[in-house]
Amino acid sequence: MPKSSRIRVVLVGGSGYAGFEAIRWLLRHPNAELVGVFGPASELGPMDGFYPLLSKTVALAQELFTPDKVAATQADLVMLCVPHKVAMSYVPALRQAGLRVIDWSADYRLADARVYEKWYCPHTDPAGLAEAVYGLPEYFAEQIKSATLVANPGCYPTCAVLALAPVLRAGLIQPEGIVINAITGMSGAGRSASLRDHYPERNENFEPYGVGNHRHSPEIEQTLTKITGKQVSVLFQPHLCPMDRGMLCSIYAEPTGKGVTAADVTTTLQAAYAKAPFVRVRTGLLPATKHVAGTNFCDIAAEAAKGKVILFSALDNLIKGASGQAIQNMNLMFGLDETTGLY
Amino acid sequence: MPKSSRIRVVLVGGSGYAGFEAIRWLLRHPNAELVGVFGPASELGPMDGFYPLLSKTVALAQELFTPDKVAATQADLVMLCVPHKVAMSYVPALRQAGLRVIDWSADYRLADARVYEKWYCPHTDPAGLAEAVYGLPEYFAEQIKSATLVANPGCYPTCAVLALAPVLRAGLIQPEGIVINAITGMSGAGRSASLRDHYPERNENFEPYGVGNHRHSPEIEQTLTKITGKQVSVLFQPHLCPMDRGMLCSIYAEPTGKGVTAADVTTTLQAAYAKAPFVRVRTGLLPATKHVAGTNFCDIAAEAAKGKVILFSALDNLIKGASGQAIQNMNLMFGLDETTGLY
Amino acid sequence: MPKSSRIRVVLVGGSGYAGFEAIRWLLRHPNAELVGVFGPASELGPMDGFYPLLSKTVALAQELFTPDKVAATQADLVMLCVPHKVAMSYVPALRQAGLRVIDWSADYRLADARVYEKWYCPHTDPAGLAEAVYGLPEYFAEQIKSATLVANPGCYPTCAVLALAPVLRAGLIQPEGIVINAITGMSGAGRSASLRDHYPERNENFEPYGVGNHRHSPEIEQTLTKITGKQVSVLFQPHLCPMDRGMLCSIYAEPTGKGVTAADVTTTLQAAYAKAPFVRVRTGLLPATKHVAGTNFCDIAAEAAKGKVILFSALDNLIKGASGQAIQNMNLMFGLDETTGLY
Amino acid sequence: MPKSSRIRVVLVGGSGYAGFEAIRWLLRHPNAELVGVFGPASELGPMDGFYPLLSKTVALAQELFTPDKVAATQADLVMLCVPHKVAMSYVPALRQAGLRVIDWSADYRLADARVYEKWYCPHTDPAGLAEAVYGLPEYFAEQIKSATLVANPGCYPTCAVLALAPVLRAGLIQPEGIVINAITGMSGAGRSASLRDHYPERNENFEPYGVGNHRHSPEIEQTLTKITGKQVSVLFQPHLCPMDRGMLCSIYAEPTGKGVTAADVTTTLQAAYAKAPFVRVRTGLLPATKHVAGTNFCDIAAEAAKGKVILFSALDNLIKGASGQAIQNMNLMFGLDETTGLY
């Protein structure tokens, strides 16, 4: 793709951490350029007003979002980094205007509107939902290539599904009774100030949250079922960890038979991801968040103990868990090598 | 206990984090005084040389350990904060000299020498082992009161056992297949400098370690079996968390019947710890390490989701997980109220 | 002081970090007891609702403040931990009710109402101001003993003044042109959530603030002038450091003569604080915030380089910088040894 | 520069933090490629053995350094990331082999061998020293372009000099009596494990070090003198800050006249750096380490208070303070735009 035909990208919702991170990756991307940033009336102005780090690299200001303004940028792609519900109120008009969209919210992740409505709110764009492709490139690359609407996966689902899918598909573990004990760095909790995440409350503090009701739970189950064809049920338990970024899942599952060893699971993972540029199956080394920080990698390792299979999976919640994955999807959608601009 | 009859305490091994913490608590204790600190030839000198924080509060120097020197202090109690194997080489002589001992190492925690030898090394003091009392006051207070040798429990076992014991004993969860996903702050990893725990490696880093082979695993099982009379099997998986102190276990267990609710488990926990001054059963609030940091409390909460019972348990690894618990044991051994000097 | 005559303390404003810390120290104090906590209508309820760490140790609830209610507790002392302006609206009525008061705000720290009004707002209690004693025990112990109203010093002023006062008084450094480069841990910035102190903004971030206009600046100058009799002028520059607690001043001053050495300054400091239980003059070791964390100590060291005298001073902003100093003042006011309950 | 003629870069000493960071930037660079990594016998092996983060992106192993082996790679440039003294023992042979070198050590930074020898050790390559160019692109770009040996500046000197040089040159501040109060994140202290930088010692700890004897002090003075023609004297005082990366200097200087305002200084800085792509002169916003983390920028702001000029300067110690600056130098040496591959 010659420079003259760079992908023109518009970002809607650039003031959150994932949007910020997307901007940084787009700046480095050899075949894409950021041509506009749009947001709500309450958050307008130069991008380096939100993030002083961006001064001298991004001259754009976040302007008031309207579908017409976005269309006027002659963008090839819209990255939609807005809250759920808002996203599906924007998508139809953008698609009407002929724009391809990668939506980072939950609005198009759950294929079944009834499941969506149970966890979120009434779904207002069933047509979009029917056409949306779940943007996990390791499993849906073909559909992503031609998609006009991609639902960028959640960070926890990416981390958990990449570890579990091959092992479930190979029938090495039971699809029921899986425990996913997950931790996230604090950028994953967003940029809204709260007492809970006030520095002196959060520093030196580790704690669980969202017991039994985290919205990433149905997304994990749906995706695993879609990939493996099995009815999967997981107990997903997230925790807040005092660090900026990083996510790690410690997953406990029942093997299907006594003969299942860690080596079997490792071999299965290695085969599954032999050609996946951003998944690293580790042996002799357990995943750690610092091994993936600032990268688009997901590191996975398999172990076995006390009659259970244990999977560890780590990624950077803002990259493989958000912006990096979005760019990986963009690359696929526009015929580029999946890894372009992502090292 | 009049001031004139304060408990005279000797600390052996004062240069580690737990020893340091013990010194601070002893300084505040109204009925105890630190009368000597002893250590190996490689670590001698004024205590504030090891910990400048102690200047002007502790005038003692760590002197070369010999049983005779300890005996010469006319101590009532020896707190032994030395590595396993070393501990059992010191204990017989100390007891011979008529001293009561609280040993912080693993040497007297595993009642069965064969189990000890499987995880550690040959046991050289079977006589001591036979008489040692496991120092978890919530369960063994009566034996502790008259004990001459107390094995101060490990941090992880304290955290896990306090949460699991009542629920297992009440028959609400299955004794097999329990998953204990645990995290610790870095003071729990000791004071020896290593690349793994070098600040720039550890900060912003979360990772699992010790899969299937952490030595606290048999201690947890043995203690639960001792308390509940049931053969208990746990999969214990620890992780390193970038913070100074704090420990949190997220425990996943199978209920014995479909009717078991989180409320049932909570009620059981509340009943079990109604009179335990340092256990707090939480409702409407999940345990967090910052809720217990700097205290001798262990906070526990019960939840249920996806057909499993979930227990969360948090404590300060250096206090209820080490020095605070040792002082709680000391209080019991010398007829004081369990909480003396521990708020 | 027999237990029957413990000092009865009321805390007004218990929901901030310094109030919380005061509660913890009062719990451990052998001759004081907390008999009531009062606050504004917006922040009422059990203390462990604000700080779950306090469960099972403090049964008190924060009740709506009225002078009558405070008087009804039969308190001997009121610790006033409320914002400036609010403090001076409470003090007259409390003193009218015969209560002794330690005020933690700035309202009674600046002896000259005109200076106060320049930096804050109109002063509404000139009578109180005239009688208030500045609660820096190392310099004003005699006045504090009989005071009915003590102005508990700011954290930065305590840290800077303890280092500078003896050296200025001895005429070793010039009273003009002093630079105080200070850093604080984030508990010093209070408990109100803000984007600035949101965990992902603050972690891994170090930055200056309040250039030329920090309100502790006139307090430092006034106190130094009062102690030394010299007109003192300082450039005080604070910075935010990503940690919970701790404060460190690096102070640069011109020696009065070429002959002034670091040893001279050290000797002067040692002489000045020979009997001060909570000041430690360091040699061969520079102050570090971890040496004083969780203690009421202020560590000071003197150096000389490039023709300047350098003073380093460190303390725990919540203890010697707030609650510990308040308790030190309380001890003096009620005839106790200054150090009671403070180790 | 067509892809076929990419700059072939060899890294000597890839196991430290700055070398690691250089590898990451080289991977992204459109006109350079890493063709070899060499090191001492004690640190050989695959690069992802040192840094698991690099797996799947760097296939190279660190091989035993010999000048011949380096020459055999047909490299265009050697980045030398080895300790001082070692560097100057390698440089002559590398240059003999026709290789251009960017040396990251101190060996070629101090133009005067006598100054070098006072702070370090005898200098063994006076010929190299005579030809070396100091690699601060904002001031020596022309010489860098044709240099065969570039001395990559220290992190502290870069941070301090960029702020001070224009202001001194414009005669707005006195060249004597300047105080540079600096802080660094811990990656600046290197990768050797030590008790000082062991996580539980360093976390929540802020402290000064190197009083009056930090080796960056003469480098700062020499560089300022070289740029401004004035005899400059600075008191440089560094501190360790509990974070991974980031550096901030708070600089206090005497204005040359009463009329010098912050605006004057700002205007001077803006003029000096109008064309410098990596220096940002801030107004209405103070530098903070998070504004520059992960970037090659140096942010500077000027203030005035209490009769002094205050300069704040922040950069990422591993990027503008080391690897990014080296790549900026490489770009200049090979005729590329200075910013290539650096966003």
Side-chain angles (χ1 to χ4, degrees), chain B residues 192-243:
Chain B
S192 297
S194 65
L195 180 59
R196 191 195 71 172
D197 300 340
H198 188 48
Y199 186 90
E201 304 288 317
R202 181 54 42 212
N203 186 40
E204 291 284 301
N205 199 6
F206 181 92
E207 67 179 321
Y209 71 104
V211 184
N213 62 21
H214 196 288
R215 288 161 164 178
H216 281 173
S217 189
E219 185 181 339
I220 295 169
E221 291 177 344
Q222 163 200 283
T223 309
L224 287 172
T225 294
K226 199 170 177 182
I227 295 172
T228 68
K230 294 173 187 175
Q231 201 59 34
V232 179
S233 166
V234 303
L235 192 176
F236 169 67
Q237 178 55 55
H239 300 73
L240 298 174
C241 182
M243 57 186 194

Side-chain angles (χ1 to χ4, degrees), chain C residues 2-25:
Chain C
K3 190 167 170 165
S4 57
S5 61
R6 284 173 145 199
I7 309 162
R8 295 174 62 83
V9 182
V10 155
L11 189 65
V12 182
S15 57
Y17 292 128
F20 161 72
E21 193 72 22
I23 291 173
R24 296 203 70 201
W25 287 98

